[in-house]
Amino acid sequence: MAAQAGSSSAQEDQFLENEEDLFYGAESGWVEARTSCDHLASLSSDLAHIPTPDTACNRCQHPNENWLCLCCKDVLCSRFVNKHMLQHYQQSNHCLALSYSDLSVWCFSCDAYLDAQLIPQLRPVYETAYILKFGEAPPFRTV
């Protein structure tokens, strides 16, 4: 029985080591946003006029965790609610979205966050969303 317990413990240790390899750096909560993306050509031509951050999901009317499609300006809920933005991407291939929760930008095709403050094509929609959410211009970030 002790040998079996020791073997089980060794397997658990190996599993935990593999898990740590998969999530190296994840314990800090830091995610490095990309400063470029090959999908920016799909951005809507009018991102100066966007729905307000308190807009509910267009499909289920959920009031929180909503994302703005940066290709067609639909507002849809996150994968943590009813996954309507993810379904929208899968059905329409609109891959760029801005989170109204934290104003991050995600590219579904790149499977990565994009730095909306450093990518020139994203900066205007980030600033507009920030003003709509907080009532003032965003602070300038020094690089």
Side-chain angles (χ1 to χ4, degrees):
M1 191 72 149
Q4 189 177 27
S7 173
S8 176
S9 178
Q11 289 173 342
E12 287 175 15
D13 290 345
Q14 182 63 37
F15 175 78
L16 291 174
E17 286 177 21
N18 290 340
E19 282 287 301
E20 289 173 12
D21 289 344
L22 289 173
F23 299 107
Y24 179 74
E27 69 277 354
S28 70
W30 178 270
V31 177
E32 189 73 29
R34 294 179 62 164
T35 57
S36 65
C37 172
D38 292 336
H39 306 99
L40 296 173
S42 66
L43 288 170
S44 168
S45 61
D46 180 23
L47 289 174
H49 303 96
I50 59 173
T52 59
D54 60 353
T55 302
C57 174
N58 291 347
R59 292 193 188 154
C60 69
Q61 305 311 309
H62 196 278
N64 301 319
E65 283 289 325
N66 291 319
W67 289 72
L68 170 68
C69 175
L70 296 179
C71 303
C72 69
K73 301 196 290 186
D74 271 353
V75 176
L76 300 159
C77 63
S78 79
R79 64 183 76 206
F80 301 111
V81 179
N82 290 315
K83 300 181 171 110
H84 288 137
M85 183 56 76
L86 178 60
Q87 291 169 4
H88 178 69
Y89 160 66
Q90 292 167 339
Q91 294 165 357
S92 67
N93 207 35
H94 290 176
C95 60
L96 299 167
L98 178 136
S99 166
Y100 275 141
S101 295
D102 63 6
L103 304 183
S104 61
V105 174
W106 179 259
C107 177
F108 286 94
S109 295
C110 293
D111 197 29
Y113 284 103
L114 305 179
D115 193 325
Q117 295 182 53
L118 292 183
I119 297 174
Q121 299 94 318
L122 296 175
R123 180 76 187 187
V125 72
Y126 170 81
E127 289 177 352
T128 300
Y130 192 100
I131 290 167
L132 288 171
K133 185 171 178 129
F134 299 109
E136 59 186 51
F140 288 103
R141 187 170 98 194
T142 57
V143 184

